[in-house]
Amino acid sequence: MRIDKDLVAASATPLVLGILTEGDLHGYAILKRVGELSDGGMQWTDGMLYPLLHRLERLGYVSSSWGTSDAGRRRKHYAITDEGRETLAERQQQWAVVADALRQVWQTTQQAAQGPRMAGGLA
């Protein structure tokens, strides 16, 4: 299934901030975690993630530092800041409202698609 780019864009900030609450990570690890959390339904690219991380850093939601991987490669690690945690809490509240509204709409749509039922299950 392909997820619409507008939906990916809208969910990207809270998703990355939420992932970073699990601990400091480098970009590739964030990409892997997105894939894991979505059971492979969301496959982000470097070209999508790194501009987002740079924007989140400019906004003060994440900080970065250089480190070395177990294999000896230099990698930039990202961490959520206190301001990022506050933003994540706000986004969680916003998404809860959106998710609840969607759940209600889908429930209504599902009931309408089933149509009126007569006794015994026959329409």
Side-chain angles (χ1 to χ4, degrees):
M1 167 178 53
R2 185 186 157 285
I3 298 178
D4 185 79
K5 67 180 181 177
D6 291 337
L7 189 54
V8 171
S11 62
T13 293
L15 191 53
V16 168
L17 292 177
I19 288 170
L20 290 176
T21 64
E22 299 171 359
D24 300 1
L25 294 171
H26 55 83
Y28 179 71
I30 295 170
L31 291 173
K32 275 184 59 175
R33 189 69 179 125
V34 168
E36 290 168 1
L37 290 169
S38 65
D39 290 326
M42 296 173 72
Q43 295 297 321
W44 289 5
T45 63
D46 293 356
M48 188 255 167
L49 177 63
Y50 288 104
L52 172 63
L53 286 170
H54 296 153
R55 183 174 62 80
L56 295 177
E57 191 168 16
R58 278 192 313 273
L59 292 169
Y61 301 163
V62 301
S63 62
S64 65
S65 61
W66 286 98
T68 306
S69 71
D70 294 338
R73 285 187 55 192
R74 221 167 112 83
R75 289 195 164 155
K76 198 174 210 181
H77 287 79
Y78 296 90
I80 189 168
T81 63
D82 289 342
E83 191 172 350
R85 289 180 193 282
E86 291 173 18
T87 298
L88 178 59
E90 292 168 7
R91 298 285 174 98
Q92 285 173 315
Q93 292 173 348
Q94 294 169 9
W95 274 98
V97 171
V98 170
D100 186 52
L102 286 170
R103 198 171 9 267
Q104 290 180 58
V105 167
W106 290 330
Q107 186 177 33
T108 302
T109 303
Q110 195 173 36
Q111 290 169 353
Q114 292 174 354
R117 300 276 179 180
M118 294 176 63
L122 300 174

